[in-house]
Amino acid sequence: MAGGFGTRLRPLTIHRPKPMVPVLGRPIMEHVLLLLRRHGIRECVCLLYHQGEWIRNYFGDGSAWGMSLRYVQAEADYGTAGSVRNAADMLRNEPFVVISADVMTTIDLSAAIAFHRERQGMATLLLTRVPNPLSYGLVLTDSAGRILRFLEKPSWGELFSDTVNTGIYLLEPSVLELIPYRQEMDFGKDLFPAMVQQGLPLYGYVAEGYWRDIGTVGEYWQVHHDFTRGILVPEILGEQCGEHLWCGADVRIDPTASLRGRVILGDRVIIGPYAEVEDSVLGAECILGAGVSVRGSILWERVTVEAGAVISGAVVASGSIVGERSSVEEAAIIGEGCRIGADALIAAGVKLWPGKVVEDKAAVAYSLVQEERWTHGLFLNAKVAGKTNVEITPEFAARFGVALGNAFGAGTSVAVSRDAGNAARMIARALMAGLMSAGVNVVDLQVASVPQTRQELRTRRYAGGIHVRRSPRAAEQTEIVVFNAEGRDIPSGLAKTVERIFYGEDFRRAAAQQIGTLSFGERSAEGYIRHFLAALNAEVIQQRSFRLLVDYSGGLAANLFPMILGTLGCQAFAVNTYVDPLGRTPPLEESLVAEALRALGCELGVRIDYGAERITVFDRRGVWYSPARLLTLVLKLFLQTHRDQEPYVVAVPVAASAEVEEVAAEHGVRVLRVRNSHSAMMEATRDPAVRFVGGTRGDFIFPEYLFAADGMFSAAKLLEMLALTGWELSELDARLPRRYQREGLVPCPWERKGSVLRRALEHPVGSERLLIDGVKLIEPEWSVLIFPDRQSAAMVVIAEATTPERADAVLEEYTELVRQWQQ
């Protein structure tokens, strides 16, 4: 499979396809073909798409490598499985191997083939164990190797093992019948999960040997480091002309030159007097002048380094020239055909696109080191987050805005909102400039909450929307949240399109007369309030005449909720009723809330978070309800007030208390467990049978109103349900089932998280196991959930039991086990 774009390897893949990127002096694909030949596979069909002529011209019919190569040029991107199906006419009616042309591996294919024949399955996936499995397909097998579960590119919370799909498959011809012709289908995302669901014989073989997917610049570097440390010993290194030195033909090394560490020299390399080379790879026809120093670097073919120049830990692509006494520093990447003048400096981390010219004595100091943060992907759960004015800068935002604009399309309209902070204002304006330069018309909603922005997008006047805010999880970070035309989070397909444009800097700017317009969404707030009130039984709330205390947290709800409460006939005593631009307003202390509630005679207190998405609730006694207990109370109120709609489904995160099932069982309502994220909660609303989604952080979704959490509506809906039932929260709390949760954070290196979850899954305890988000072991009297913390090098352990003492004991026991499982 040789059709990838290699977007994340740019600028190295601007002028050549990823399989042709040199690794240890040879194209990646050449290493793959030699692996196949070593295991007796000499016929190969090469599936081409992007810049396929490079591969055809280099390998030809394959005879120079003792192989027979044929080619299929795809007319469109059919996905991994679709591409193989597109070449079915060239495959014989016998088992075949599918392998990517951009992996570096020494896996024993012969042993895998023997395993496949023994199991007699339809497909065998070659698996390996890696420290960080996030970028790969995660696989769970039984003791016989049969695949039980398959998850493509999981989030941290979805990990249940460190065993991943290598992208190497052994397939029977019957598998092709499951793949539609000339339609997009992916092995990992589509075909294999469907085969598992249908109960078809799909196996996994955990292979020994070196394996690395060269998908990013970081992985590219890692292969080089693995070679210099002796971890990787590939088949082709040329003639060994020293203990750790391999040379091609006609290499000329001056007697005064010094070569140390592991070094590969391609054909016709010339190394001048007193030059120094250490732990480096030099491609064919490279020339090093007198006194040159090359350390820990990769030079492609035909690179000239003139006298006195220093290259340290950098990549210099084909045909480039580094002038006399110039310096190329750590992690710099010089694209093909660049010319760096004499006495110039290329600072650490700088990337030069092909053909760039750097003048004599110039210093290229604009470093992309901070932006290396984005090389593994921009989006996480429809958000782009980074350090304010360090990673999320105006320059970044403008470029990101152009990429978004290109993805949405010139001539479309996009709504942009933000919080009240200066950082969000700055980034939003830069984003809008980028969007407009791509020909997109921008409607500035100015200061508005995420729920208000989602409601505005539901008018279907926009191609999408953007909200900029200070991160609710890390005050030093800014988040850019992107929505689709419906107001839902941006789908993964569109996110990948944005990333491809951003990484490739393939920006399409509008002509001067087609630059987008900027206008202001002046009636957005009115539309939000109108829709809000229409979704409530306002009359019953008005009749109850609630008296309540509201803490606005200095957040965005202070702009609209006072007006809404007034319409609902509530007498509200408010604190922190201004919008704090810095978002630093501390919540009112719980003791003060309790005192104020009693003094003012309020029935309850509500705190709405800064972003107006979540709530905290106090009863008239001033008792604060934990988020887990609040979910149980709100669920019971919802079930009681929606008896006429039974039976239906409610969805909650896997971390929610088992109280949920006990309460729902009284009403014949089924509980659907989902991942511990707001995006998973929103996804659950796509099922029309789901009438309520409750979170464990004070976030509630009422799909008849909106498919996402809205703190203001949650508070108002709570008033409606209390009014309809006539119940008091304290009375409800006293009579509902109760379980006790204890939560702990156990330090764990990032690279050990997957193995900890694999050990947890193998742990011989738990009459029931859930693998929705981490690993949850369930017994009748207790349960424990173990999942990776998304923000730090730690594992989260949530223990639950029928008594607080038992919950404490379970937490202590599994905290210690998680420590042991890291060994």
Side-chain angles (χ1 to χ4, degrees):
M1 302 193 66
F5 285 89
T7 305
R8 291 177 295 167
L9 277 173
R10 293 193 178 204
L12 300 178
T13 51
I14 295 290
H15 289 158
R16 67 177 68 197
K18 185 163 63 166
M20 295 303 296
V21 169
V23 172
L24 306 182
R26 302 287 187 273
I28 309 173
M29 183 169 162
E30 189 169 347
H31 292 280
V32 173
L33 291 176
L34 289 169
L35 173 75
L36 294 171
R37 188 185 70 181
R38 187 162 67 248
H39 291 279
I41 302 169
R42 294 180 176 272
E43 294 184 46
C44 184
V45 177
C46 303
L47 309 181
L48 309 179
Y49 181 54
H50 177 64
Q51 296 184 342
E53 65 280 0
W54 259 87
I55 296 171
R56 289 179 185 267
N57 293 340
Y58 184 87
F59 291 105
D61 63 2
S63 57
W65 288 266
M67 299 189 71
S68 172
L69 302 186
R70 291 176 294 165
Y71 302 92
V72 175
Q73 179 72 46
E75 299 175 0
D77 185 359
Y78 299 126
T80 54
S83 297
V84 172
R85 174 65 181 85
N86 190 49
D89 292 344
M90 287 194 175
L91 299 174
R92 296 181 179 178
N93 190 30
E94 60 183 336
F96 59 95
V97 178
V98 175
I99 186 169
S100 297
D102 53 11
V103 295
M104 194 69 187
T105 182
T106 61
I107 279 176
D108 187 347
L109 292 180
S110 297
I113 292 169
F115 174 90
H116 177 72
R117 288 172 175 163
E118 178 185 339
R119 292 300 188 273
Q120 296 183 341
M122 291 180 67
T124 297
L125 283 64
L126 272 65
L127 312 177
T128 191
R129 293 196 169 108
V130 297
N132 183 352
L134 291 186
S135 300
Y136 311 106
L138 208 59
V139 181
L140 177 66
T141 64
D142 64 15
S143 58
R146 185 150 183 165
I147 293 176
L148 304 175
R149 188 176 179 199
F150 194 99
L151 184 61
E152 182 73 359
K153 296 184 179 178
S155 66
W156 274 117
E158 294 176 298
L159 289 185
F160 49 79
S161 178
D162 59 352
T163 306
V164 303
N165 173 19
T166 64
I168 305 172
Y169 313 128
L170 309 178
L171 305 180
E172 294 295 321
S174 58
V175 171
L176 296 174
E177 299 172 8
L178 305 175
I179 307 171
Y181 182 56
R182 294 201 170 183
Q183 293 183 32
E184 184 174 351
M185 176 176 273
D186 187 84
F187 281 118
K189 287 190 299 184
D190 306 312
L191 180 62
F192 294 147
M195 291 179 69
V196 171
Q197 188 173 14
Q198 295 171 33
L200 298 176
L202 181 67
Y203 288 88
Y205 173 76
V206 180
E208 300 295 329
Y210 183 88
W211 176 85
R212 189 169 295 279
D213 174 25
I214 306 176
T216 67
V217 172
E219 297 287 354
Y220 183 70
W221 269 119
Q222 193 59 53
V223 169
H224 178 76
H225 295 325
D226 290 343
F227 163 71
T228 59
R229 291 183 295 170
I231 297 173
L232 168 62
V233 183
E235 178 178 348
I236 50 167
L237 294 173
E239 179 184 350
Q240 190 158 359
C241 46
E243 183 179 2
H244 296 302
L245 174 64
W246 293 265
C247 303
D250 301 322
V251 171
R252 293 160 50 190
I253 306 173
D254 190 273
T256 62
S258 171
L259 280 74
R260 297 187 298 274
R262 292 177 179 266
V263 174
I264 298 176
L265 305 178
D267 296 343
R268 297 177 294 284
V269 165
I270 299 175
I271 299 179
Y274 301 100
E276 297 180 351
V277 181
E278 181 179 353
D279 284 337
S280 296
V281 177
L282 278 63
E285 300 180 10
C286 284
I287 299 174
L288 306 189
V292 163
S293 175
V294 178
R295 289 188 171 89
S297 296
I298 304 170
L299 277 58
W300 292 9
E301 62 272 16
R302 302 186 312 282
V303 171
T304 299
V305 186
E306 296 178 349
V310 176
I311 301 176
S312 301
V315 178
V316 184
S318 303
S320 291
I321 300 172
V322 179
E324 295 179 350
R325 299 174 301 280
S326 289
S327 179
V328 181
E329 295 186 341
E330 195 80 21
I333 297 179
I334 311 301
E336 298 185 56
C338 288
R339 174 68 172 91
I340 299 170
D343 301 297
L345 169 66
I346 308 300
V350 165
K351 292 179 182 178
L352 294 185
W353 253 235
K356 300 297 183 185
V357 176
V358 177
E359 300 294 335
D360 294 350
K361 299 183 179 180
V364 182
Y366 177 66
S367 175
L368 296 181
V369 169
Q370 296 292 352
E371 295 197 15
E372 290 300 304
R373 157 72 172 77
W374 313 116
T375 59
H376 295 288
L378 289 171
F379 287 95
L380 178 62
N381 293 333
K383 294 186 290 289
V384 176
K387 292 181 180 178
T388 302
N389 227 18
V390 177
E391 294 167 337
I392 303 290
T393 62
E395 297 88 348
F396 168 84
R399 292 169 55 215
F400 184 54
V402 180
L404 283 170
N406 290 162
F408 285 129
T412 61
S413 295
V414 171
V416 180
S417 65
R418 58 178 174 84
D419 69 21
N422 287 333
R425 181 197 301 265
M426 171 183 73
I427 297 303
R429 289 187 174 181
L431 271 169
M432 289 189 283
L435 287 164
M436 292 169 65
S437 75
V440 171
N441 301 316
V442 175
V443 178
D444 185 2
L445 303 181
Q446 303 178 81
V447 177
S449 66
V450 167
Q452 181 181 339
T453 305
R454 292 188 192 275
Q455 287 287 14
E456 176 67 17
L457 291 170
R458 294 183 75 189
T459 62
R460 299 302 183 97
R461 297 197 297 262
Y462 309 92
I466 304 166
H467 180 79
V468 184
R469 66 184 180 187
R470 181 181 64 95
S471 171
R473 285 163 290 277
E476 74 281 2
Q477 292 194 346
T478 292
E479 291 183 352
I480 303 171
V481 189
V482 185
F483 313 105
N484 69 4
E486 298 176 315
R488 290 182 178 271
D489 289 355
I490 185 175
S492 60
L494 185 57
K496 288 179 180 178
T497 299
V498 174
E499 289 179 345
R500 179 175 294 176
I501 296 168
F502 179 87
Y503 290 138
E505 296 195 355
D506 186 20
F507 301 132
R508 299 185 301 278
R509 310 273 185 179
Q513 64 273 21
Q514 295 174 329
I515 290 173
T517 61
L518 174 64
S519 59
F520 297 91
E522 298 176 353
R523 295 188 175 275
S524 173
E526 294 178 21
Y528 171 80
I529 293 174
R530 183 170 59 252
H531 184 77
F532 187 110
L533 295 174
L536 286 172
N537 186 339
E539 184 178 352
V540 73
I541 301 175
Q542 292 164 350
Q543 291 172 354
R544 178 71 180 263
S545 299
F546 282 97
R547 188 180 177 93
L548 65 154
L549 176 68
V550 182
D551 181 355
Y552 287 96
S553 306
L556 303 181
N559 285 334
L560 297 178
F561 203 46
M563 187 187 311
I564 291 171
L565 287 176
T567 303
L568 295 174
C570 299
Q571 186 176 3
F573 299 91
V575 294
N576 297 321
T577 53
Y578 58 93
V579 178
D580 178 5
L582 298 178
R584 294 179 179 175
T585 300
L588 201 61
E589 294 179 10
E590 292 175 19
S591 59
L592 292 178
V593 172
E595 186 177 336
L597 285 167
R598 290 191 294 267
L600 297 170
C602 294
E603 298 175 60
L604 75 159
V606 178
R607 177 184 296 146
I608 305 176
D609 78 329
Y610 184 84
E613 293 181 276
R614 303 183 178 93
I615 62 171
T616 303
V617 176
F618 302 79
D619 65 21
R620 67 166 68 245
R621 303 167 300 171
V623 173
W624 167 79
Y625 293 107
S626 70
R629 188 60 175 172
L630 181 60
L631 169 56
T632 303
L633 298 175
V634 173
L635 174 62
K636 178 60 179 178
L637 286 166
F638 185 87
L639 293 170
Q640 185 65 26
T641 54
H642 292 75
R643 284 186 174 274
D644 60 320
Q645 298 182 18
E646 296 173 4
Y648 53 86
V649 179
V650 298
V652 298
V654 69
S657 170
E659 296 169 358
V660 168
E661 277 81 4
E662 294 184 54
V663 170
E666 300 173 5
H667 294 261
V669 169
R670 183 169 68 89
V671 176
L672 171 68
R673 294 276 179 164
V674 300
R675 290 182 290 111
N676 299 312
S677 69
H678 187 248
S679 60
M681 291 169 59
M682 286 194 297
E683 190 64 23
T685 66
R686 293 187 182 276
D687 182 350
V690 173
R691 303 297 174 83
F692 169 81
V693 185
T696 55
R697 294 181 293 176
D699 45 341
F700 304 101
I701 300 177
F702 303 90
E704 290 184 352
Y705 164 70
L706 183 64
F707 45 74
D710 182 335
M712 291 182 284
F713 188 81
S714 295
K717 189 69 175 179
L718 176 61
L719 297 179
E720 177 197 272
M721 294 186 296
L722 288 171
L724 287 169
T725 60
W727 291 345
E728 286 275 349
L729 282 178
S730 56
E731 297 172 357
L732 190 59
D733 177 52
R735 62 186 177 86
L736 287 180
R738 184 182 297 275
R739 292 203 170 215
Y740 299 87
Q741 283 192 344
R742 299 291 187 266
E743 182 173 333
L745 202 63
V746 185
C748 176
W750 291 97
E751 66 273 12
R752 299 302 298 164
K753 290 184 175 184
S755 60
V756 165
L757 290 171
R758 174 168 52 84
R759 296 285 299 277
L761 190 59
E762 296 168 351
H763 190 54
V765 172
S767 57
E768 183 183 353
R769 294 160 190 257
L770 292 180
L771 304 180
I772 297 168
D773 202 341
V775 176
K776 188 170 188 176
L777 308 176
I778 302 173
E779 291 286 0
E781 300 299 317
W782 61 269
S783 68
V784 63
L785 173 64
I786 303 168
F787 63 93
D789 183 71
R790 293 172 173 82
Q791 305 295 325
S792 65
M795 301 293 291
V796 179
V797 180
I798 300 178
E800 181 176 310
T802 53
T803 67
E805 294 79 15
R806 184 65 174 129
D808 290 334
V810 172
L811 178 63
E812 183 178 352
E813 176 185 355
Y814 280 87
T815 295
E816 180 56 32
L817 282 172
V818 168
R819 292 193 182 104
Q820 294 176 15
W821 290 338
Q822 297 175 38
Q823 304 306 316

